[in-house]
Amino acid sequence: MSNRVPAAPVEALIVVDVQADAVTGDRAVPDAVRLVDRTADLIARARREGALVVHVQNDGEPGAGDEPGTPGWELHHPVEPSPVETVIRKTWDDGFEETSLESLLTGHGVRSLVVCGVMSEMCVQATARTALELGYRVVMPHDAHATHDIPAAPGISDMVPAAAVSRVAEWALGSDLEVVARAADVVFTALPRVPAEG
């Protein structure tokens, strides 16, 4: 895993599952205020530079906090109407699995991207791993993904703090992942090409 500050410019931003259930109320991740601040900054700067912005939205099971159509399912950040900003809905941890994410990136000529959001060791890690396997250059800002503490398990381990879980999630992605300390270290660039309409 490399640490480059600042990272070379990237062409796309993937915001994973920053939905009301994960960042507001009693079920919010511990660092929700920081997370939404950093992801909002990344979105604003990606838009300004003409990078692709993809909001990945999880469709939870019936009764889950992110069940489609419920308040918890709603995206926290507003989506701007634009040819280079979109929402992709998913039902698996991996934002690529059974979605149009890969074809969207390919269609826009993307070769480098940022992954941020929740949960670090689940949907963020799964999406970043597939992006790496597909040959994308992947940057992960350390302060722009988050998760919950892992509860203590008698006879197995004490409680594992959320910050440690997030760091292990980065580490487990291996040497090709580029981790930067701060979302502010990420630099965006315009897409190499935008598909013609129609």
Side-chain angles (χ1 to χ4, degrees), residues 6 30 35 51-52 70-72 78 82 87 97 101-102 104 109 119 140-141 154 175 189:
L35 177 73
L52 179 67
T70 65
S82 164
V87 177
E97 188 169 352
L101 181 55
E102 183 180 1
L104 176 71
M119 304 294 178
M140 187 178 293
S175 59
T189 188

Side-chain angles (χ1 to χ4, degrees), residues 72-126:
W73 173 77
E74 297 295 333
L75 292 169
H76 180 79
H77 299 298
V79 180
E80 208 169 78
S82 164
V84 293
E85 184 160 352
T86 193
V87 177
I88 287 184
R89 292 170 63 178
K90 67 177 179 64
T91 55
W92 305 98
D93 284 359
D94 182 356
F96 288 91
E97 188 169 352
E98 298 180 9
T99 74
S100 61
L101 181 55
E102 183 180 1
S103 61
L104 176 71
L105 296 173
T106 300
H108 282 282
V110 170
R111 297 307 312 151
S112 58
L113 52 87
V114 171
V115 179
C116 64
V118 292
M119 304 294 178
S120 300
E121 79 284 17
M122 297 172 70
C123 299
V124 171
Q125 186 189 68

Side-chain angles (χ1 to χ4, degrees), residues 32 40 50 62 127 148 163:
T127 301
H148 291 286

Side-chain angles (χ1 to χ4, degrees), residues 123-160:
C123 299
V124 171
Q125 186 189 68
T127 301
R129 185 179 301 283
T130 296
L132 289 165
E133 290 171 353
L134 291 171
Y136 292 99
R137 185 178 141 249
V138 181
V139 177
M140 187 178 293
H142 179 72
D143 64 351
H145 64 96
T147 192
H148 291 286
D149 299 335
I150 296 177
I156 298 174
S157 75
D158 294 334
M159 183 271 289
V160 181

Side-chain angles (χ1 to χ4, degrees), residues 14-37:
I14 302 178
V15 184
V16 179
D17 299 354
V18 180
Q19 294 164 247
D21 183 60
V23 297
T24 61
D26 295 341
R27 296 166 49 91
V29 294
D31 289 329
V33 172
R34 168 189 54 84
L35 177 73
V36 298
D37 175 74

Side-chain angles (χ1 to χ4, degrees), residues 1-3 34 120-121 125 140-143 145-147 160-174 177-181:
M1 177 172 40
S2 61
N3 294 280
R34 168 189 54 84
S120 300
E121 79 284 17
Q125 186 189 68
M140 187 178 293
H142 179 72
D143 64 351
H145 64 96
T147 192
V160 181
V165 179
S166 291
R167 180 62 183 133
V168 171
E170 296 168 352
W171 186 258
L173 287 166
L177 179 71
E178 295 179 34
V179 177
V180 295

